[in-house]
Amino acid sequence: MPDQRTVNRQCTLCEAHCGIQVTTEGQRVTFIEGDPADVMSRGYICPKATALAGLHHDPDRLRTPMRRNGDTFEPITWDAAFAEIGQRLRATRKQHGPSSIAMYLGNPAAHSPSVMYGLLLRAALLTRNFYSASSVDQFPQEFAAWRMFGSSFLMPVADIDRTQRLVILGANPAVSNGSVTTMPNAKKRIRDVRRRGGKVVVIDPRRTETARIADEHVAIDPGGDPYLLLAMLHVLNEEKLVDSEVVERNLSGWDELCRLTSEVTPEFAAARCGVDAEVIRRLAREHAAASSAVVYARIGVCQHTTGTITHWLVNVINAVTGNVDRPGGQMYTTPPVDAMRWLRWLPIPYGNWTDRSGTRKAFRFELPVSGLAQDIINEGPGRIRAMITYAGNPVLSTPQRGKLAEALTSLDFYVAVDMYVTETTRHADIILPPVSPLEREEFDVLFPIFSVRNNARYNARVFDTPDEGLEDWEILARLVTEVTPLPLRRFTGELLNGVFSRVSPLRIAAVGVALGPHGLLRRGTRGITIKKIKDTPGGIDLGPLQPRLAKLIRTKDRRVQLAPPDLIAEARHVVNAPSPRSTKFDLRLIGRRHLRSNNSWLHNVPTMVKGRDRCTVLMHPADAATRNLTAGQRVDVTSPVGTITVPVEVSSDIVRGTVAIPHGWGHHEGATWSVAAQHPGANVNLLHDPEVGDTFTGNGGLNSTSVHIEAAAKIVT
Ligand SMILES: Nc1nc2c(c(=O)[nH]1)N[C@H]1C(S)=C(S)[C@@H](COP(=O)(O)OP(=O)(O)OC[C@H]3O[C@@H](n4cnc5c(=O)[nH]c(N)nc54)[C@H](O)[C@@H]3O)O[C@H]1N2
Ligand SMILES: Nc1nc2c(c(=O)[nH]1)N[C@H]1C(S)=C(S)[C@@H](COP(=O)(O)OP(=O)(O)OC[C@H]3O[C@@H](n4cnc5c(=O)[nH]c(N)nc54)[C@H](O)[C@@H]3O)O[C@H]1N2
Ligand code: SF4
Ligand SMILES: [Mo]
């Protein structure tokens, strides 16, 4: 083939950022495969990587700005779009104040360095009503890091490549490929723990794809984790299994913590978490005895009312067994752009303002997204009048009692930065689509901060940016100039435009790399530069994680805080609370991810949705039998706030009394993506109560819902 080319870059669909080789013929992608030279993924890709081709060629993907005309959209020019947006947003701000404009920043935003301009836009808006996917995701993990290490940016990473004992709590990396511990080809990394004689334990209500390749699966009842962890600490203290030298030297608050755990015996915990008391004892003993050990916890435990205290207890167990900041434990990276080193100086405001109901506190300049719909809808002062969404689909991905779509239609003005007309963006007045991922040249600065190995990798463009195409950062920069509150906006706007067009995220990253721990300024000619990274196939391996907590920690006494008073008080409250039992809503509902699905937006790519229905409710055979339900039958799943209808999938992989439904479905609500509309599924977030969330951060309590299930009332054809 004369015009056949192969370009090496990364798949940016999820945090793993696997290296890929994209082969093209003319303007078509013909093949996507793993890049064997990639220093992180070593040739691995999951089935989603090929979706990049489907996305690029998808006729439904928007290529020009669209403006609402009644119930449809029509194309307009970029200049006309920006002019109208500027005028409408400035008018709203003038009439109702800066907080009348809200912004939601969605998950894929974090997968591109364009996010820097997203945050600049957030700053320029001067709004209190800023939201992101963080508050249905890792907020509790950040809060625990803030209280224990002094900054929310100091979330430690599990050193999976060197540990001898890996305990996975509420995460399914065999499918998700890791999160806030970025580990492409997680399955191989997990198998490698076992190959080198280590042990892998998965604690999860479902025998997951990860549990299948582990040494042991401990089935736990949803929400049982804080009891299990407190009881493990009870055993560690009672049997004097802690690393007393480390406790003495680096940690504060162990005695206070022991006063709390003294009441939480394994027998007490067993009744609350469904794990046998002897198993809890053994988990504690084995963690202490291993030459290195790490508990790695993620969204299965974040998305609970107890999210923060669970993450805190996870870090405590790692710390008191001597496994924080040492190889094989929880560590910090030394990334090419050392953003966390700089950002940890930022003050973390908490509770400085709230949502309009006064119940949800702002945490690090952000409000929990579950309050969004009501803060648009409810009449009265402080109401949100205009909205910007950037790379997010909160109608499907956040709990809003089904009110968000209606809320968006009631806004004075709504602008979306997105390449699809989704269940959310279909309510926009103007949609601004960025170019496809394959038309971007980038250097990721975020995920190297959470990677299991230090690395620097470059993302080359596969196709030239189309003449009229803009990248996210260019769109966001133009929005900044439109909303800048600076005086003489016309003049300063022009000036800013001129500056921004020269300051691409790639240039900012180049400076960051030069100033970073591996850069020219530190290492002289041995240091790395963006050019060197670009010229090295597969990227540059910067070695295993190094101890560096002593340099990074921001607590007053420079020790890890084991007993922050508010967390102790909340844990005491949780221990003393009666165990919740509802006779009507008798099943616990949790989430589940699939290897071919990515949150809410890959369902328009035919290869991602072919085969059997994935939006099913998974239930134990005994639970199905007592309700006279059979596999494939459609059922109504009802929670205290909503009902959805989905088919049943029966499997003994899930514990009795618990059911699992994936999120990101419910496409009939939009019916604007032609492929996705053919297998819509149902929106599980209609079942989650926006009032139920993590006590500290208000993070969505998406695994804290109870439901009732019965045969579907209506026959759907
Ligand atoms: N019930 C339940 N709900 C959940 C979860 C759960 O486990 N259970 N998980 C939560 C989690 S962890 C997350 S992160 C959120 C994710 O939820 P969101 O933050 O809402 O993100 P997505 O659903 O991935 O939607 C991404 C949108 O961005 C658009 N997009 C994709 N790439 C780009 C790009 O490069 N630029 C721009 N401008 N747009 C782009 C897509 O078209 C899509 O509309 O969902 C959360 N919701
Ligand atoms: N294929 C695919 N990969 C993805 C995504 C995707 O949608 N699809 N999304 C990406 C995103 S945005 C994120 S944040 C990450 C998330 O990555 P992970 O944190 O690995 O998320 P999940 O795969 O949802 O795994 C959560 C696990 O928690 C379990 N769980 C639920 N409740 C409880 C509980 O109370 N206690 C315990 N111990 N376990 C519980 C569930 O059964 C499930 O196995 O994945 C990323 N990768
Ligand atoms: S795990 Fe899959 S979706 Fe994630 S980066 Fe790798 S290939 Fe892409
Ligand atoms: Mo996420």
Side-chain angles (χ1 to χ4, degrees):
M1 289 295 152
D3 60 351
Q4 185 166 325
R5 295 180 310 131
T6 298
V7 177
N8 291 16
R9 57 168 290 131
Q10 288 157 39
C11 166
T12 47
L13 291 176
C14 85
E15 282 183 43
H17 277 48
C18 301
I20 52 172
Q21 296 181 321
V22 185
T23 303
T24 58
E25 272 172 43
Q27 289 305 303
R28 295 237 34 113
V29 178
T30 50
F31 202 54
I32 294 182
E33 61 191 327
D35 177 2
D38 186 278
V39 294
M40 289 300 291
S41 54
R42 304 267 177 218
Y44 168 84
I45 47 167
C46 85
K48 288 192 294 304
T50 58
L52 282 170
L55 285 173
H56 183 78
H57 297 300
D58 189 346
D60 288 346
R61 181 169 64 82
L62 302 178
R63 276 119 173 128
T64 51
M66 304 297 270
R67 183 177 188 280
R68 168 170 302 286
N69 183 5
D71 282 343
T72 57
F73 287 98
E74 58 190 28
I76 46 165
T77 65
W78 286 104
D79 283 341
F82 287 122
E84 180 170 344
I85 293 165
Q87 188 236 323
R88 300 284 299 268
L89 290 181
R90 290 193 301 274
T92 304
R93 188 175 56 202
K94 195 163 172 207
Q95 202 183 344
H96 302 290
S99 292
S100 63
I101 306 174
M103 178 170 172
Y104 176 81
L105 185 146
N107 169 273
H111 296 189
S112 156
S114 285
V115 74
M116 293 182 211
Y117 274 93
L119 296 174
L120 190 67
L121 176 60
R122 183 254 173 281
L125 288 170
L126 294 172
T127 177
R128 291 181 159 197
N129 292 316
F130 177 75
Y131 311 86
S132 84
S134 300
S135 57
V136 271
D137 191 338
Q138 83 289 352
F139 247 22
Q141 209 166 337
E142 291 189 48
F143 195 95
W146 175 44
R147 282 284 193 258
M148 297 181 74
F149 308 111
S151 167
S152 61
F153 298 101
L154 294 179
M155 286 183 286
V157 168
D159 185 12
I160 278 165
D161 287 355
R162 285 182 294 178
T163 196
Q164 285 302 102
R165 182 178 173 80
L166 173 60
V167 179
I168 299 174
L169 190 75
N172 187 11
V175 164
S176 66
N177 278 297
S179 179
V180 196
T181 284
T182 307
M183 43 171 145
N185 204 355
K187 267 182 155 172
K188 175 174 186 304
R189 295 186 134 93
I190 290 166
R191 287 198 175 108
D192 283 349
V193 179
R194 302 184 61 191
R195 261 183 219 124
R196 60 179 177 264
K199 192 169 173 188
V200 180
V201 181
V202 173
I203 305 175
D204 198 298
R206 180 163 76 87
R207 194 160 69 95
T208 59
E209 296 76 358
T210 310
R212 285 174 191 280
I213 56 167
D215 294 277
E216 185 179 355
H217 170 223
V218 177
I220 189 168
D221 290 335
D225 309 82
Y227 305 102
L228 173 100
L229 297 167
L230 284 165
M232 281 173 71
L233 286 163
H234 175 99
V235 176
L236 291 174
N237 179 40
E238 196 181 58
E239 301 185 7
K240 307 220 172 336
L241 297 175
V242 298
D243 186 331
S244 43
E245 207 188 302
V246 167
V247 171
E248 198 74 356
R249 200 179 52 228
N250 298 336
L251 315 178
S252 282
W254 176 234
D255 292 342
E256 269 157 275
L257 193 77
C258 289
R259 276 196 285 283
L260 169 72
T261 59
S262 64
E263 301 146 38
V264 191
T265 61
E267 282 70 22
F268 173 87
R272 296 292 187 95
C273 70
V275 178
D276 196 73
E278 272 322 299
V279 174
I280 299 177
R281 286 202 170 83
R282 184 167 53 74
L283 287 172
R285 290 172 191 147
E286 290 181 359
H287 208 78
S291 56
S292 63
V294 65
V295 184
Y296 162 65
R298 251 324 249 133
I299 63 158
V301 297
C302 268
Q303 296 167 333
H304 264 296
T305 51
T306 51
T308 294
I309 59 165
T310 308
H311 270 286
W312 157 58
L313 295 169
V314 163
N315 294 345
V316 168
I317 289 193
N318 289 327
V320 299
T321 52
N323 284 300
V324 164
D325 206 34
R326 86 162 181 203
Q330 268 182 324
M331 301 197 76
Y332 293 97
T333 55
T334 317
V337 179
D338 208 354
M340 91 194 143
R341 178 125 194 237
W342 302 322
L343 290 172
R344 83 205 152 102
W345 294 104
L346 269 184
I348 308 290
Y350 173 53
N352 295 29
W353 66 89
T354 65
D355 71 340
R356 292 171 67 207
S357 74
T359 52
R360 295 179 183 82
K361 291 180 180 162
F363 170 52
R364 63 133 178 82
F365 307 103
E366 205 176 314
L367 280 169
V369 67
S370 52
L372 175 60
Q374 70 183 41
D375 276 359
I376 298 175
I377 294 170
N378 290 348
E379 303 276 345
R383 191 172 170 187
I384 294 169
R385 310 283 179 150
M387 177 95 211
I388 302 173
T389 60
Y390 159 35
N393 192 2
V395 167
L396 291 193
S397 52
T398 67
Q400 309 279 351
R401 275 190 170 224
K403 294 266 167 49
L404 187 55
E406 173 200 329
L408 293 172
T409 57
S410 75
L411 288 168
D412 293 348
F413 189 67
Y414 165 27
V415 53
V417 184
D418 204 300
M419 62 270 236
Y420 279 105
V421 181
T422 70
E423 295 68 25
T424 303
T425 64
R426 77 188 176 109
H427 302 291
D429 293 286
I430 293 184
I431 308 178
L432 305 173
V435 295
S436 110
L438 300 183
E439 292 160 344
R440 307 189 307 219
E441 181 188 18
E442 290 175 330
F443 179 77
D444 176 35
V445 295
L446 182 62
F447 294 111
I449 297 177
F450 300 114
S451 282
V452 293
R453 211 176 153 84
N454 296 317
N455 70 92
R457 294 176 297 157
Y458 188 81
N459 247 331
R461 248 189 209 105
V462 175
F463 297 109
D464 290 337
T465 311
D467 286 344
E468 291 294 301
L470 294 181
E471 292 189 34
D472 274 311
W473 70 272
E474 294 171 299
I475 298 171
L476 295 158
R478 288 285 297 270
L479 292 178
V480 173
T481 63
E482 289 297 337
V483 302
T484 178
L486 294 178
L488 299 173
R489 202 201 56 82
R490 191 164 281 171
F491 171 70
T492 47
E494 286 294 309
L495 201 75
L496 283 179
N497 249 339
V499 174
F500 286 156
S501 60
R502 282 170 190 81
V503 189
S504 66
L506 197 58
R507 290 204 163 135
I508 301 173
V511 176
V513 170
L515 297 173
H518 310 275
L520 284 178
L521 232 64
R522 291 272 184 84
R523 305 257 157 124
T525 49
R526 283 186 305 124
I528 59 169
T529 58
I530 289 270
K531 181 162 185 329
K532 256 191 205 172
I533 302 167
K534 188 176 175 176
D535 293 343
T536 313
I540 301 178
D541 178 24
L542 298 169
L545 310 185
Q546 302 293 334
R548 68 186 305 230
L549 180 59
K551 271 207 186 120
L552 294 176
I553 196 158
R554 284 272 288 128
T555 53
K556 278 205 187 88
D557 61 3
R558 303 192 60 78
R559 293 156 75 95
V560 177
Q561 304 303 303
L562 300 181
D566 48 354
L567 301 194
I568 292 270
E570 175 61 13
R572 190 156 279 133
H573 173 74
V574 167
V575 168
N576 294 330
S579 45
R581 280 274 165 261
S582 161
T583 42
K584 175 149 187 245
F585 302 104
D586 52 351
L587 293 164
R588 302 290 305 258
L589 169 66
I590 60 170
R592 111 182 168 256
R593 281 173 158 74
H594 191 280
L595 205 51
R596 283 181 189 268
S597 176
N598 194 30
N599 299 320
S600 74
W601 69 286
L602 284 190
H603 305 149
N604 211 48
V605 179
T607 51
M608 295 298 106
V609 284
K610 66 172 192 235
R612 63 198 175 93
D613 199 347
R614 302 225 175 83
C615 186
T616 60
V617 56
L618 189 73
M619 70 198 297
H620 191 276
D623 288 327
T626 52
R627 289 164 184 76
N628 286 326
L629 302 173
T630 51
Q633 183 176 353
R634 293 184 71 80
V635 290
D636 287 340
V637 183
T638 302
S639 78
V641 300
T643 298
I644 62 172
T645 306
V646 285
V648 173
E649 195 175 332
V650 179
S651 163
S652 52
D653 282 343
I654 191 149
V655 290
R656 270 189 84 160
T658 296
V659 295
I661 303 178
H663 72 282
W665 297 88
H667 296 297
H668 61 292
E669 289 178 13
T672 34
W673 347 44
S674 47
V675 178
Q678 291 163 29
H679 33 75
N683 179 2
V684 73
N685 279 317
L686 297 178
L687 301 179
H688 299 304
D689 186 347
E691 301 307 320
V692 176
D694 172 47
T695 316
F696 293 92
T697 63
N699 196 63
L702 311 174
N703 289 317
S704 300
T705 301
S706 292
V707 293
H708 165 80
I709 295 188
E710 60 189 355
K714 286 174 284 188
I715 306 288
V716 183
T717 50

